[in-house]
Amino acid sequence: MPAFSKIEKKWQKLWLKAGVYEPDLKSSSKGNKDPFYNLMMFPYPSAEGLHIGSVRTFTGVDIYGRLKRMQGFDTFEPIGLDGFGINSENYALKIGKHPMKLAKVTEKNFYRQLEMIGNGFAWNEKLETYDPEYYRWTQWVFVQMFKKGLAYRKKSPVNWCPSCKTVLADEQVVAGECERCGSKVEKKNLEQWFFKITDYAEQLLRDLEDLDWSEKVKIAQKNWIGRSEGYSIKFPLVGVPGQEDRKHVVEVFTTRPDTLFGATFIVISPELAKRWFDIGWQASGSVAKYVDEALMRRGRGQDSEAENEKTGVFSGINAINPANQEKIPVWIADYVLDTYGTGAIMAVPAHDERDFEFAKKFDLPIREVISPDGRDHDLRVSFTDRGVLINSGKFNGINNEVAKTEITDFAGGEKKVHYRLRDWLISRQRYWGPPIPMIFCEACRTAGKGERPEMPGWYAVQEKDLPVKLPFIKDYQPQGTGTSPLAKSKEFYKVKCPGCKADAKRETDVSDTFLDSSWYFFRYIDTKNKKAPFDRWRARKWLPVHMYIGGAEHAVLHLMYARFITKVFKNWGLINFDEPFKKFRAHGLITKDGAKMSKSRGNIVSPDEYIKKFGVDVMRVYLAFLAPFDQGGDFRDQGITGITRFLARVGKLESKLAKNSKEALDEGSEKLFHQTMKKVGEDIENLHYNTAISQLMVLLNKLETLPSVPWTVYENFLKMLAPFAPFLTEELWQKFKKAKSFKKQNSIHLQDWPKFDKNKIKEDRFNLVVQINGKVRATLDAPVGISEKDAEKLVFEDESIKKYFRPPGGGSPKKTIFVPNRLINFVV
RNA sequence: GCCCGGGUGGCGGAAUGGUAUACGCGAAGGACUUAAAAUCCUUUGCCCUAAAGGCUUGUGGGUUCGAGUCCCACCCCGGGCACCA
């Protein structure tokens, strides 16, 4: 066994035994240390184990946590497994192993690897989302959502993945494809459970402002919520068969009411047309045919493709433009989305690209009403910029921004805000998740009874009956029938109605994995609580999370859901804050040969072989040195030798230790030493691990040239390296301190972080850069604080610079720029 | 199409508007060694035999005494959103 392996094993054991990384969760008082909750996104365990990218993320999070611990914080760095969900289940299906059994295997393997990587995890608080003691509270959350009216059932067109055989939330559909398996997502009309996240759209958007988060994640959330301020305008309908004219209206949502005079037709979505059929509109055969075909295309996921030719049909109905009383046709077309606004638009071809394209194709009138110069033009493309109104009656000549409210008022419209965000679809027709803890009673439904008036027949499982355990069933394959495999298990679904005691049926769908992970950071602080999801006093001390690090790919998924659940908890009075993560930083992605690591590409790099070959410390330092933490990069093992050398040289420094503790550094080295203490601390704080390490290398290079290394320098060097290489530094530290037996408080990882002396960083001399016309011609040694006059004198005394002046050696420069303590530039 | 990142030696990368290429890898030469590995020392952006000099941060402009850094236009790579009215 290599020496490093022995050291790793030894310290893992001793740290664990001494509880070096266990914070004081029990007491609700702060004590003499401030709490620091250092959280990483917990992994979903796959059978092939951790890959190098996750190791880089986790050790990166740990480096930060170790700095905080040494800065005197009571640091809490928990770990767990997000083991429920389609991903784990799909893998189980593939290898033909039952998910429940597979979970035990992957759990073991994952924890083995997570123990190896040298993180200061608080192992006493680990959790797994598939543990009934955990998901009992996930179900509890669902029950509360139901009781408070935030969970509801609705039949609507939902995303359906034909390969995963389940519905998906909007957030899990990426470019029309299933986030998990890449299959084309279809639309199915199904009755499903939803959470009313849209109730919180405004708050979720507003509170983004003050969050200290990676900017790109904030932007992604903002765009996802998609607040759009617009106006709603009603167009009376004429020519509806069998209906009086102007009895019905079509309501449109627009952000451009200023173009109302240019609205030359109306377009409604096929879905809206279908609803009009349902309330009695008898459309012609060709219209009905178009609607059917369009809906079918949508069902196959063929809408929303920009390259698709526009299709549509005239409905036979007309509408009255409220601005000019003009009669305009109502068209049905699938370029209008039903899920946004009202499912109907006023088409202004002159000023909207899509309307323009449609008008051209179907030869509909195009009327210019906004003009950059007040004149009419022959439009070849739509004009979407600002301008003044023309062809708009009494509004001609006014600025289009001003016209927005004026025309809205004139047409009897009103201001309206729309969001792109839609409610969170929670149901999954799969096996490997927490059963949704609801009971449905047909008798009660018929009688109009139930726990909530708006949902007759539905009852939440009582708290004392939680968890509703996921049964072990042999036949766990997804069915594709729109129901979960649990629907086949009578023992599971047969239950008495909590209301009338008649035979009733359990909900057989399970909930979305993202519900499991939306609240896990609350549970970490109190994993053994059997009375509540978490203790509110502990929450007061430990939450919100101080630092959260994870992948940016969760910007609109996990991070949005966690914020939503937190806001809900706040509303319920469980907590006194409304944002879960004070600070969030996205890490970069590690690729292999330029491609994302994935099983299908076969380019997954396993950390095991590297750890075995080079040791954990080398692995950690290398991964931190490879690229800026927030950037990521391509994994190559090329540079790893450099790190092996670096750590070996650190080990050798011991032989250079000064004979007595009084010895000090020379002035130049002393300065570098203090600069290093400053920079390493600051760099870790900013997650600039690569530059922190390079600074340590610079210092080491210097120390090696010295005849001896003073004790304090050696001590502090080890401390600065400790977050990166926890094993080696602990070993060297204990040896240096000549410790007989290991005690928690003697661990290097609980020592005070080095403090630099800012007076020692001050330079008294510097390189004065001499430029002629902006080109560097010389550098001269000069005292700090030198005046412009003295600097000039210094330059003129220097032989090598004389030739640049005109005439050489004489003449005065046209201009002199002097930057104190940096440079002097002569323009000649 | 829109919104974010990013483009710097052979490679990973470093640079508050002020000495571009820190640190590391690789490469070349040398020391030690019977030899190799390891280790140590030296060199290493490009052009030029060398010196002197010149050129160089995706491309082209601009601002400035001075631009990798700021502004404008464009090209390429990565990511997100995408018929959202």
Side-chain angles (χ1 to χ4, degrees):
Chain A
M1 196 194 290
F4 56 72
S5 297
K6 268 190 220 150
I7 291 174
E8 286 165 17
K9 292 225 164 61
K10 171 172 141 198
W11 290 112
Q12 261 153 11
K13 225 173 169 177
L14 288 170
W15 288 337
L16 202 65
K17 204 174 140 207
V20 171
Y21 306 116
E22 294 299 335
D24 179 15
L25 287 171
K26 286 194 190 88
S27 101
S28 57
S29 73
K30 287 199 172 169
N32 52 2
K33 280 184 172 186
D34 281 336
F36 194 94
Y37 193 159
N38 189 52
L39 183 65
M40 61 193 75
M41 285 184 184
F42 64 164
Y44 59 79
S46 56
E48 60 266 27
L50 275 180
H51 69 66
I52 208 85
S54 339
V55 175
R56 177 167 179 272
T57 302
F58 294 158
T59 55
V61 174
D62 185 61
I63 289 165
Y64 190 81
R66 285 180 184 277
L67 171 74
K68 289 293 152 189
R69 193 175 289 110
M70 291 176 80
Q71 283 176 341
F73 290 96
D74 193 15
T75 301
F76 180 35
E77 190 173 298
I79 187 68
L81 300 176
D82 189 13
F84 256 150
I86 298 180
N87 216 43
S88 310
E89 191 185 327
N90 281 356
Y91 188 75
L93 283 164
K94 196 178 157 192
I95 64 166
K97 204 163 178 158
H98 196 281
M100 216 173 255
K101 288 182 178 162
L102 185 67
K104 291 287 151 212
V105 180
T106 51
E107 179 180 315
K108 215 176 142 203
N109 188 37
F110 250 72
Y111 282 146
R112 175 189 66 79
Q113 288 183 313
L114 287 166
E115 275 165 25
M116 272 195 328
I117 63 173
N119 274 29
F121 287 133
W123 284 105
N124 289 348
E125 309 303 327
K126 71 179 170 62
L127 61 80
E128 300 84 38
T129 53
Y130 48 76
D131 178 353
E133 278 310 302
Y134 180 82
Y135 70 71
R136 145 200 230 148
W137 298 107
T138 307
Q139 291 175 335
W140 178 89
V141 170
F142 191 102
V143 167
Q144 303 310 310
M145 295 294 266
F146 174 73
K147 287 186 194 281
K148 304 278 186 347
L150 286 167
Y152 67 95
R153 277 173 78 80
K154 184 178 75 177
K155 188 169 184 172
S156 70
V158 292
N159 307 304
W160 171 266
C161 173
S163 155
C164 293
K165 295 177 179 162
T166 179
V167 299
L168 299 170
D170 290 329
E171 289 80 3
Q172 287 151 21
V173 179
V174 179
E177 289 171 359
C178 172
E179 179 211 25
R180 294 281 174 220
C181 68
S183 309
K184 191 117 203 154
V185 169
E186 301 172 355
K187 290 276 177 194
K188 266 200 178 184
N189 237 343
L190 293 170
E191 191 178 309
Q192 300 287 319
W193 285 102
F194 290 87
F195 281 176
K196 275 191 192 162
I197 192 171
T198 51
D199 276 9
Y200 287 78
E202 188 56 43
Q203 275 190 63
L204 285 166
L205 183 68
R206 180 182 15 101
D207 294 347
L208 270 179
E209 284 297 307
D210 305 321
L211 290 180
D212 179 10
W213 281 25
S214 296
E215 207 52 36
K216 59 175 171 181
V217 172
K218 282 167 77 167
I219 292 168
Q221 288 211 354
K222 199 177 159 194
N223 292 342
W224 188 260
I225 296 166
R227 185 179 200 273
S228 166
E229 251 177 66
Y231 306 81
S232 130
I233 296 172
K234 292 185 174 112
F235 288 66
L237 294 174
V238 296
V240 184
Q243 298 286 331
E244 211 177 293
D245 278 356
R246 296 177 180 259
K247 187 185 167 198
H248 297 283
V249 296
V250 56
E251 187 180 346
V252 306
F253 177 74
T254 180
T255 53
R256 296 294 305 274
D258 49 319
T259 64
L260 184 56
F261 284 84
T264 49
F265 56 102
I266 295 284
V267 189
I268 67 169
S269 69
E271 289 85 353
L272 182 58
K274 180 88 177 164
R275 289 197 294 277
W276 285 7
F277 295 163
D278 292 345
I279 55 168
W281 172 36
Q282 309 263 324
S284 73
S286 58
V287 171
K289 188 168 167 247
Y290 174 79
V291 169
D292 276 352
E293 281 170 3
L295 290 177
M296 219 142 73
R297 273 201 303 278
R298 287 246 228 257
R300 289 198 302 265
Q302 282 177 359
D303 60 353
S304 78
E305 277 192 44
E307 64 268 25
N308 272 4
E309 263 287 292
K310 286 202 166 39
T311 64
V313 67
F314 174 52
S315 66
I317 297 172
N318 288 291
I320 302 298
N321 185 332
N324 53 15
Q325 301 306 314
E326 200 178 359
K327 195 170 102 175
I328 56 174
V330 175
W331 283 67
I332 303 165
D334 63 1
Y335 82 92
V336 171
L337 301 176
D338 193 55
T339 46
Y340 188 78
T342 58
I345 61 148
M346 62 180 215
V348 186
H351 307 291
D352 181 280
E353 248 176 77
R354 300 150 296 182
D355 298 344
F356 187 88
E357 192 191 324
F358 194 78
K360 279 282 173 201
K361 179 161 178 191
F362 294 99
D363 204 18
L364 293 159
I366 297 168
R367 185 186 308 135
E368 188 185 16
V369 289
I370 308 288
S371 164
D373 53 12
R375 283 197 287 269
D376 283 62
H377 307 83
D378 181 19
L379 291 176
R380 298 242 166 73
V381 289
S382 57
F383 174 76
T384 52
D385 286 346
R386 293 173 172 209
V388 295
L389 271 70
I390 57 171
N391 300 321
S392 298
K394 63 172 180 173
F395 299 99
N396 282 342
I398 60 173
N399 175 286
N400 78 299
E401 288 302 319
V402 178
K404 281 184 178 173
T405 48
E406 292 191 12
I407 292 189
T408 304
D409 289 346
F410 177 68
E414 58 183 331
K415 226 178 170 158
K416 225 168 199 171
V417 174
H418 266 288
Y419 298 93
R420 199 184 159 287
L421 183 72
R422 274 174 282 155
D423 278 339
W424 177 9
L425 171 49
I426 286 289
S427 322
R428 295 294 179 272
Q429 290 73 45
R430 297 286 295 231
Y431 169 69
W432 191 232
I436 290 175
M438 296 296 300
I439 293 167
F440 178 71
C441 171
E442 188 57 49
C444 283
R445 194 188 68 94
T446 320
K449 283 192 279 187
E451 207 171 332
R452 292 196 61 83
E454 72 276 19
M455 294 177 66
W458 284 101
Y459 293 89
V461 172
Q462 290 184 24
E463 218 172 290
K464 67 174 172 54
D465 296 331
L466 294 177
V468 176
K469 277 203 183 170
L470 179 70
F472 183 92
I473 58 168
K474 275 224 163 85
D475 190 12
Y476 64 89
Q477 282 81 2
Q479 314 199 87
T481 54
T483 56
S484 143
L486 292 176
K488 290 182 292 189
S489 169
K490 269 202 187 110
E491 306 90 86
F492 176 74
Y493 69 68
K494 274 184 78 170
V495 69
K496 294 288 177 210
C497 170
C500 69
K501 308 293 171 208
D503 284 343
K505 208 180 158 196
R506 279 188 197 284
E507 168 66 68
T508 53
D509 282 357
V510 300
S511 59
D512 182 8
T513 331
F514 282 99
L515 181 59
D516 304 331
S517 57
S518 68
W519 74 282
Y520 75 110
F521 48 94
F522 286 102
R523 187 64 182 175
Y524 268 149
I525 61 170
D526 203 5
T527 51
K528 290 163 192 84
N529 196 329
K530 291 200 182 275
K531 295 204 177 86
F534 58 90
D535 176 78
R536 63 178 63 194
W537 293 105
R538 287 193 185 198
R540 286 214 160 186
K541 178 181 171 187
W542 286 95
L543 287 159
V545 169
H546 299 89
M547 174 61 136
Y548 195 26
I549 292 175
E553 69 272 18
H554 285 113
V556 297
L557 291 156
H558 164 63
L559 287 170
M560 183 81 86
Y561 297 140
R563 292 184 63 218
F564 166 55
I565 293 292
T566 301
K567 288 180 185 306
V568 168
F569 280 6
K570 163 91 190 290
N571 258 356
W572 294 347
L574 295 177
I575 50 174
N576 59 352
F577 52 90
D578 45 24
E579 282 291 338
F581 316 121
K582 272 191 193 159
K583 190 167 173 175
F584 170 79
R585 290 292 179 272
H587 63 250
L589 212 69
I590 290 292
T591 54
K592 175 67 182 157
D593 304 321
K596 212 169 169 173
M597 281 184 216
S598 75
K599 219 174 8 179
S600 56
R601 285 193 190 84
N603 63 349
I604 290 184
V605 181
S606 160
D608 288 9
E609 52 170 319
Y610 288 97
I611 288 175
K612 219 164 140 192
K613 202 163 155 197
F614 301 102
V616 171
D617 285 330
V618 167
M619 184 86 254
R620 286 174 62 111
V621 178
Y622 176 62
L623 289 171
F625 186 63
L626 179 80
F629 186 66
D630 61 351
Q631 258 183 46
D634 206 53
F635 183 84
R636 300 212 178 100
D637 42 17
Q638 265 184 11
I640 209 159
T641 25
I643 303 302
T644 307
R645 282 177 198 152
F646 170 60
L647 293 186
R649 281 159 55 206
V650 172
K652 281 187 203 153
L653 214 52
E654 191 199 359
S655 62
K656 273 203 150 189
L657 263 179
K659 295 277 176 298
N660 65 70
S661 60
K662 297 251 160 52
E663 245 178 76
L665 285 173
D666 65 274
E667 209 183 313
S669 307
E670 177 86 350
K671 198 181 295 162
L672 179 66
F673 172 52
H674 283 271
Q675 280 167 344
T676 302
M677 289 192 287
K678 179 170 192 279
K679 186 166 168 58
V680 173
E682 288 171 355
D683 280 354
I684 297 178
E685 184 63 54
N686 294 319
L687 310 180
H688 296 162
Y689 302 147
N690 55 334
T691 49
I693 293 164
S694 86
Q695 182 67 28
L696 286 170
M697 288 173 169
V698 171
L699 179 60
L700 178 65
N701 288 346
K702 180 75 186 180
L703 294 179
E704 282 178 335
T705 65
L706 303 178
S708 70
V709 175
W711 291 15
T712 53
V713 177
Y714 181 68
E715 238 174 17
N716 283 314
F717 191 95
L718 291 182
K719 284 189 197 171
M720 285 189 280
L721 184 61
F724 300 99
F727 295 108
L728 174 73
T729 50
E730 184 76 284
E731 180 72 16
L732 294 173
W733 180 262
Q734 298 302 331
K735 204 168 152 197
F736 176 63
K737 291 289 173 187
K738 301 194 170 64
K740 289 204 180 65
S741 66
F742 180 70
K743 288 199 198 75
K744 175 174 174 174
Q745 65 269 27
N746 294 335
S747 170
I748 188 171
H749 302 296
L750 289 166
Q751 302 308 305
D752 289 339
W753 184 253
K755 284 192 181 61
F756 66 92
D757 180 346
K758 64 174 192 264
N759 291 317
K760 299 235 163 102
I761 289 173
K762 278 191 192 145
E763 306 273 353
D764 47 11
R765 299 196 71 80
F766 74 104
N767 280 331
L768 176 72
V769 173
V770 184
Q771 296 183 337
I772 310 292
N773 292 339
K775 282 198 199 303
V776 179
R777 294 301 180 183
T779 60
L780 301 174
D781 180 62
V784 165
I786 190 173
S787 69
E788 178 167 354
K789 236 182 178 166
D790 290 343
E792 273 182 43
K793 213 172 124 195
L794 200 67
V795 172
F796 292 138
E797 279 166 6
D798 194 278
E799 283 300 319
S800 66
I801 298 164
K802 283 192 173 147
K803 62 182 171 189
Y804 295 106
F805 288 95
R806 247 148 257 246
S812 56
K814 283 188 206 136
K815 195 174 175 183
T816 307
I817 292 102
F818 178 68
V819 183
N821 299 330
R822 208 173 282 272
L823 62 75
I824 187 158
N825 185 15
F826 298 100
V827 184
V828 297

